């Protein structure tokens, strides 16, 4: 009888994992996840800063040249026969004199080799269309220049300005650039004679807008922005702080106040264009407020900034400890005195911070102002809140839509000025909070 095969031996039991090994493996995975998360966070911050740096660098590269302006020195003969034929120096006669013809005659005399109407048109294009106004202002200020020849620095034309600043490539074929070879020759001759110079562009800050890039400035937009923001602050700050104080300290807690709070929070997230539509329908069409004025712009922006100011003010009021209120009431102060003499002064830094942030947001808005007509071409600098005006963001929008090469640098320069104002306002908010903030 055959013996049965021996049964296969069972594998030895696996050793039990120690608790410390399980914990160490878990720690390694957690540390690896934490390292990956930190890397992704640092990468996100780096990419964000990189994009901001690239954007800001591009704006600076395109806009810093706008703070300089090219001038050409031209010997101008202030011909009395042209400017003052009667010899009585009548202001009206001097105001209506042919200054453009005087500039053209001076250019022809300086470049006698330029003949023919097409060539002379190119010669006249060396000088800006605003040169006659320069000559006129000089004659009004110094009437003694009549009958004399003076070397006058006149504003160069936009194309010459771009050429001197390196914005036009000389190496391109003549058909591919705005300046012809004959004009290049004239510019080279002026540079050789030392009659071309770049100076700080004061006109960018003192002139109103213009259809000529070399004459365009932001003075009108700055004045309109000042009037609009000042009136916006006067309207929104007291109303916003008063509403926040009532809702936080005096209003009963019921469904109506809850509904109001929900609507205020929702209004803070409403797109700004909706406020523009509201201003167009209510302030202009119903109440008849003049279009394109800082008054209607301030009314629209006040509505837009009110939710931000109310929310920030309520948060500042909430940060004041209840013991302040209890102590004031305990020594006999009325509820109104408690709020105005104790709570509100302590919450004022946070309230001011919210107001400045709201104003900074209003400073950068253009969509609601476009809806109420502040897109108009305004040359004169506004003198009040009822004069037609535009604001800096809208001016940037108008210049960005212009095809001329000179407006590209003006647009970027205006963006730099706008960013500078916004940085200053936000920095002021931070400094105010740090200066007056109290820790409880």
């Amino acid at each position: 009888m055959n013996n049965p095969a021996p049964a296969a031996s069972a594998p030895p039991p696996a050793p039990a994992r120690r608790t410390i090994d399980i914990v160490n493996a878990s720690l390694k995975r957690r540390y690896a996840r934490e390292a990956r998360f930190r890397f992704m966070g640092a990468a996100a911050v780096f990419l964000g800063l990189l994009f901001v740096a690239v954007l800001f660098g591009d704006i600076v590269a395109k806009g810093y040249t706008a703070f300089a302006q090219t001038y050409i020195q031209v010997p101008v003969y202030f011909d009395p026969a042209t400017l003052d034929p009667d010899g009585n120096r009548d202001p009206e006669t001097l105001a209506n004199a042919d200054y453009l013809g005087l500039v053209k005659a001076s250019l022809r005399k300086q470049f006698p080799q330029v003949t023919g109407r097409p060539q002379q048109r190119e010669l006249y294009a060396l000088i800006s269309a605003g040169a006659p106004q320069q000559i006129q202002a000089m004659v009004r200020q110094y009437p003694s220049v009549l009958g004399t020849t003076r070397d006058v620095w006149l504003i160069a034309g936009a194309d010459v300005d771009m050429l001197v600043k390196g914005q036009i490539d000389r190496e391109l074929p003549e058909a591919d650039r705005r300046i012809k070879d004959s004009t290049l020759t004239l510019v080279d001759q002026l540079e050789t004679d030392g009659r071309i110079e770049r100076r700080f562009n004061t006109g960018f800050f003192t002139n109103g807008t213009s259809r000529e890039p070399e004459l365009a400035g932001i003075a009108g937009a700055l004045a309109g922005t000042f009037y609009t923001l000042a009136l916006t602050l006067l309207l929104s700050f007291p109303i916003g702080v008063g509403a926040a104080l009532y809702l936080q300290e005096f209003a009963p807690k019921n469904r109506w106040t809850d509904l109001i709070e929900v609507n205020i929070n929702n209004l803070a997230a409403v797109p700004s264009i909706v406020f523009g539509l509201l201003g167009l329908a209510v302030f202009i069409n119903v109440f008849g407020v003049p279009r394109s004025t800082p008054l209607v712009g301030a009314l629209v922006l006040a509505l837009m900034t009110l939710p931000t100011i109310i929310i920030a003010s309520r948060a500042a009021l909430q940060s004041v400890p209840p013991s302040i209120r209890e102590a004031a009431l305990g020594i006999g102060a009325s509820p109104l005195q408690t709020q105005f003499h104790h709570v509100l002064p302590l919450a004022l830094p946070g309230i001011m911070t919210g107001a400045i942030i709201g104003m900074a947001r209003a400073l950068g808005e253009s969509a609601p102002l476009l809806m109420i007509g502040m897109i108009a071409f305004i040359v004169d600098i506004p003198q009040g809140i009822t004069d037609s005006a535009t604001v800096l963001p809208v001016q940037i929008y108008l210049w960005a839509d212009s095809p001329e090469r000179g407006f590209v640098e003006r647009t970027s320069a205006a963006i730099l000025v706008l960013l500078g104002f916004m940085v200053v306002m936000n920095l002021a908010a931070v400094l105010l909070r740090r200066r007056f903030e109290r820790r409880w």
Side-chain angles (χ1 to χ4, degrees):
M1 184 173 181
N2 294 331
N3 294 326
S9 59
R17 294 184 64 185
R18 296 183 301 169
T19 304
I20 188 62
D21 295 332
I22 298 175
V23 172
N24 289 334
S26 174
L27 285 176
K28 288 181 180 179
R29 291 193 298 271
R30 288 163 56 188
Y31 290 154
R33 287 195 296 266
E34 183 178 354
R36 288 195 299 269
F37 179 77
R38 288 184 176 182
F39 173 77
M40 289 187 291
V45 172
F46 174 77
L47 287 177
L49 293 176
L50 178 62
F51 292 151
V52 171
V54 170
L55 175 62
F56 190 73
D58 181 68
I59 295 174
V60 171
K62 291 180 179 178
Y64 80 96
T65 55
F67 298 107
Q69 180 63 48
T70 304
Y71 287 79
I72 297 177
Q73 190 184 51
V74 179
V76 178
Y77 174 59
F78 294 86
D79 187 5
T82 302
L83 302 179
D84 189 21
D86 298 331
N88 54 10
R89 298 188 179 182
D90 180 51
E92 184 177 355
T93 302
L94 293 176
N96 298 324
D98 186 13
Y99 293 98
L100 179 59
L102 193 70
V103 173
K104 290 181 178 180
S106 301
L107 288 173
R108 290 195 301 269
K109 186 176 181 180
Q110 186 176 4
F111 297 97
Q113 74 275 16
V114 179
T115 57
R117 288 189 176 181
Q119 291 76 19
Q120 287 182 349
R121 281 197 296 268
E122 296 175 16
L123 175 64
Y124 302 152
L126 293 176
I127 304 299
S128 169
Q133 284 73 32
Q134 285 184 263
I135 302 296
Q136 183 181 20
M138 187 174 179
V139 172
R140 285 183 174 181
Q141 187 174 4
Y142 306 105
S144 60
V145 299
L146 291 175
T148 64
T149 300
R150 301 291 180 90
D151 287 334
V152 183
W153 289 95
L154 300 178
I155 299 176
D159 292 337
V160 176
D161 186 46
M162 291 293 99
L163 177 68
V164 174
K165 292 176 180 177
Q167 302 293 336
I168 297 179
D169 189 0
R170 288 170 166 261
E171 305 301 326
L172 290 175
E174 184 179 16
D176 296 337
R177 48 180 158 82
R178 292 178 57 89
I179 292 185
K180 296 184 178 180
D181 292 337
S182 57
T183 304
L184 289 179
T185 303
L186 296 176
V187 173
D188 292 338
Q189 182 179 343
L190 289 170
E191 288 183 337
T192 303
D193 297 339
R195 292 185 176 273
I196 286 187
E197 186 177 287
R198 291 177 61 184
R199 300 178 179 178
F200 181 73
N201 189 8
T202 56
F204 181 73
F205 298 96
T206 58
N207 295 343
T209 188
S210 173
R211 300 193 186 279
E212 305 296 334
E214 70 275 9
L215 302 177
I218 60 174
L222 287 178
T225 302
F226 170 77
Y227 289 128
T228 303
L229 286 184
L231 193 56
T232 299
L233 184 62
L234 289 176
L235 292 173
S236 61
F237 186 75
I239 296 176
V241 174
L245 188 63
Y246 175 76
L247 290 174
Q248 183 64 33
E249 303 294 340
F250 296 101
K253 304 302 179 183
N254 52 35
R255 293 183 178 180
W256 287 108
T257 54
D258 291 341
L259 180 63
I260 293 173
E261 292 177 5
V262 169
N263 281 281
I264 290 174
N265 294 328
N266 289 335
L267 283 175
V270 169
S272 59
I273 190 68
V274 176
F275 293 98
L277 293 171
L278 178 64
L280 179 64
V282 177
F283 298 133
I284 294 178
N285 294 337
V286 176
F287 294 104
V289 181
R291 295 173 63 95
S292 304
T293 60
L295 177 59
V296 66
L299 291 172
V300 172
L301 293 180
L303 289 179
M304 190 187 69
T305 56
L306 268 177
T308 303
I309 295 177
I310 292 174
I311 293 172
S313 299
R314 292 195 64 186
L317 292 170
Q318 287 177 352
S319 66
V320 178
S323 58
I324 301 294
R325 300 171 177 82
E326 296 169 358
L329 293 172
I331 60 175
S334 67
L336 194 62
Q337 290 174 330
T338 299
Q339 300 303 322
F340 279 93
H341 295 173
H342 302 279
V343 177
L344 194 59
L346 295 177
L348 192 59
I351 294 174
M352 294 179 64
T353 300
I356 294 175
I357 292 175
M359 291 298 102
R361 181 192 174 192
L363 175 63
E365 286 293 340
S366 60
L369 302 180
L370 295 177
M371 295 300 301
I372 58 175
M374 296 190 78
I375 195 175
F377 183 81
I378 307 297
V379 178
D380 299 329
I381 298 176
Q383 303 299 321
I385 61 174
T386 57
D387 293 341
S388 295
T390 186
V391 292
L392 203 53
V394 177
Q395 187 66 73
I396 292 171
Y397 170 80
L398 292 173
W399 283 352
D401 198 41
S402 300
E404 289 86 351
R405 182 71 176 268
F407 280 116
V408 174
E409 64 171 13
R410 257 62 178 182
T411 301
S412 298
I415 292 174
L416 290 176
V417 174
L418 180 62
L419 289 177
F421 278 120
M422 297 186 71
V423 168
V424 169
M425 294 180 71
N426 285 278
L427 181 62
V430 173
L431 293 178
L432 283 174
R433 176 171 288 277
R434 290 187 176 181
R435 172 67 178 81
F436 296 105
E437 185 178 26
R438 296 188 180 184
R439 300 185 182 277
W440 310 100

